[in-house]
Amino acid sequence: PAGAVGIDGRTVPAALFGPDGHAAVGHVDVMIGCADPDAVDLDAVADEVPYGVVTVRAEKGGLNVPPIDADGTGGVTIACAAILVSFPD
């Protein structure tokens, strides 16, 4: 898309970069709500964030729909994520 820069196979908005071409993102906070927060690999999530000082936390939330089929299948697990990006002054 127009105004985007490809880095490491990713397309990101050009506004994330300073005049020197380096990432201008200061902090990236990732919050994940899921049924089993202890099962989230926080380091693996942080590794997917390409820029900034990254903080990841998982909390109880999301949605767990129990199995509805007679054989114990048909359940659904949904995790919700919020990503807050702050820029340096």
Side-chain angles (χ1 to χ4, degrees), residues 17-48:
F17 296 90
D20 60 359
H22 290 95
V25 174
H27 294 275
V28 179
D29 296 307
V30 180
M31 296 175 286
I32 300 172
C34 59
D36 186 5
D38 293 332
V40 177
D41 185 338
L42 302 178
D43 291 329
V45 174
D47 288 345
E48 293 299 317

Side-chain angles (χ1 to χ4, degrees), residues 1 3-4 6 9 13 16 19 35 38 52-53 56 58 67 71 75 78 80:
L16 296 180
D38 293 332
V53 177
V56 180
D71 64 356
I78 300 172
C80 302

